[in-house]
Amino acid sequence: MEEFTYTRPATADDATGAHSAAEDAMYMAGGQTLIPVLKQGLAMPTDVVDLNRVGDLAGIQVTGDAVTIGAMTRHAVVAASAEVKGAIPALTVLAGGIGDAQVRNRGTMGGSLANNDPSADYPSAVLGLGATVTTNQREIPADEFFDGMFATNLEDGELIKSVTYPIPEKAGYAKFPNPASRYALVGVFVAKTAGGVRVAVTGAGQDGVFRPAEVEAALSADFSAAALDGVTVPADDLMTDMHAAADYRAHLIVVMAKRAVNQANGQG
Amino acid sequence: MGFEGAMPEISLSINGAPVTGTVEGRTLLVEFIRETMKLTGTHTGCDTSQCGACTVHLDGKAVKSCTMLAVQADGAEVTTIEGLAPEGEMNPMQQAFNDHHGLQCGFCTPGMVMRAMALVADNPDPTEAEVRHGLEGNICRCTGYQNIVAAVLDGAKALRG
């Protein structure tokens, strides 16, 4: 790993200040992606601004209509939260299936979203629930947050503070994990909300997380797994890599969507 | 708020003993444990956050010490495999791995045992499925996991007393 200057701010203001004062800084959240990236020299920042001691970025608040999760809240905390489970059980399912137990003890929601790995789990919850990302500068709706593989519309130095998830009528998340990495080969988040049905797919799209129109249309008419019988998703814009071909991923999207709908409907 | 331009000095507890040391920002926790503290029971396996051989406890939680900076453990309580047997006598989980031959080459064993201890602390009476899910972050290339799972179930039973 290349050398960098390490800082450990105690407040979000100090963190953004340290970032802007440095030549080429990166924030470190849970570090479960960034540390491997630094080891491989895929990023060589002059400065690392560690967010782990910024107290006001962690925590969970549940109100009557929304769940707000601080950016530095670790996956294990969300997975074990009775409050989150009571409001949006699919979120605890999702958080409890990220990586492995050790990764969940360090990894954070904000880090996952800022990185926007095309196979990460959290982006599908943010897009599927139509959540709002709150940064130190503004509020960003989910539909405007993601900007392709490993890219978001965050400005340089902009810091995610929390994400607010509207509580849906029902929601579910199912993924087919890569057996080695536990990343989603395909993960599907489905939500039935007051504003309609939203579906988000991770692990499959060449441009990262996306909403499959065919699946949303079928579930809008009938929110049941049977409604997806015969539905197909085009493979044109899906990933092919050593783990799976695009047409296999297209097939898995419908299979995972059915499982997610069954989970949302309390049927498995 | 930090250590700008300086080598961070850290203070932490390792296996109950207070420790101070000077590290670089980029020093990994596993490097500090193995190379500075000479506690070589914690293994570096893949060094890519996959295998879990480097698992230690940070304030009671299992973490991969190859995927944390040493400076991030400042002020924390770290437990390594050496901390489970301070008097040289194996603890019940280690004994269960011995009894069930939950290993072949043994390279992954320290991480397996540390993960198993954290799992049992959270869930003293796990099912076999919970043990398998709980060990997803620990890779063994020898055993096929069967005896490891048996050892964790038996170790959990012994620890329940």
Side-chain angles (χ1 to χ4, degrees), chain A:
Chain A
M1 204 186 302
E2 298 295 318
E3 286 184 61
F4 51 76
T5 299
Y6 173 86
T7 53
R8 192 170 73 189
T11 69
D13 284 348
D14 284 347
T16 53
H19 193 289
S20 61
E23 185 187 334
D24 179 20
M26 291 183 82
Y27 294 120
M28 181 176 286
Q32 300 303 286
T33 298
L34 181 55
I35 290 176
V37 162
L38 293 173
K39 285 183 188 180
Q40 294 173 69
L42 297 172
M44 287 181 276
T46 59
D47 290 67
V48 168
V49 180
D50 187 353
L51 303 175
N52 281 279
R53 307 280 169 118
V54 181
D56 52 349
L57 292 180
I60 294 168
Q61 278 188 308
V62 178
T63 63
D65 56 6
V67 173
T68 298
I69 300 178
M72 284 298 293
T73 310
R74 301 189 198 278
H75 306 319
V77 172
V78 174
S81 167
E83 277 187 296
V84 175
K85 190 173 185 182
I88 313 178
L91 264 187
T92 61
V93 170
L94 179 145
I98 295 172
D100 54 55
Q102 292 95 314
V103 167
R104 293 192 290 275
N105 280 334
R106 294 294 297 168
T108 68
M109 179 196 68
S112 172
L113 294 174
N115 189 49
N116 193 22
D117 187 299
S119 300
D121 297 275
Y122 259 116
S124 72
V126 170
L127 191 62
L129 289 166
T132 301
V133 180
T134 300
T135 75
N136 63 316
Q137 297 174 21
R138 57 189 167 139
E139 296 192 340
I140 308 175
D143 289 311
E144 295 167 23
F145 180 80
F146 302 104
D147 190 31
M149 201 176 272
F150 293 109
T152 69
N153 284 315
L154 290 169
E155 304 287 341
D156 186 41
E158 189 171 6
L159 180 67
I160 301 175
K161 298 187 82 169
S162 65
V163 175
T164 298
Y165 301 89
I167 297 175
E169 259 178 63
K170 50 176 90 169
Y173 179 70
K175 79 165 164 177
F176 190 97
N178 177 315
S181 72
R182 321 306 298 178
Y183 272 100
L185 203 58
V186 167
V188 179
F189 199 100
V190 302
K192 188 175 187 202
T193 74
V197 170
R198 292 177 68 102
V199 178
V201 174
T202 189
Q206 284 182 5
D207 292 324
V209 66
F210 70 98
R211 295 171 63 185
E214 303 79 5
V215 178
E216 284 194 353
L219 292 179
S220 296
D222 174 12
F223 195 78
S224 76
L228 295 172
D229 286 341
V231 170
T232 57
V233 174
D236 305 347
D237 295 325
L238 302 186
M239 283 192 281
T240 289
D241 57 22
M242 65 185 285
H243 305 297
D247 58 351
Y248 182 59
R249 282 189 161 91
H251 176 76
L252 275 181
I253 288 170
V254 179
V255 175
M256 291 302 116
K258 286 182 177 181
R259 290 186 191 174
V261 169
N262 281 337
Q263 183 193 102
N265 287 334
Q267 296 163 347

Side-chain angles (χ1 to χ4, degrees), chain B residues 123-146:
Chain B
N123 180 0
D125 191 7
T127 63
E128 181 185 332
E130 287 167 341
V131 169
R132 289 185 185 277
H133 178 60
L135 293 178
E136 279 170 354
N138 294 77
I139 293 174
C140 171
R141 290 294 70 160
C142 304
T143 64
Y145 302 95
Q146 206 64 23

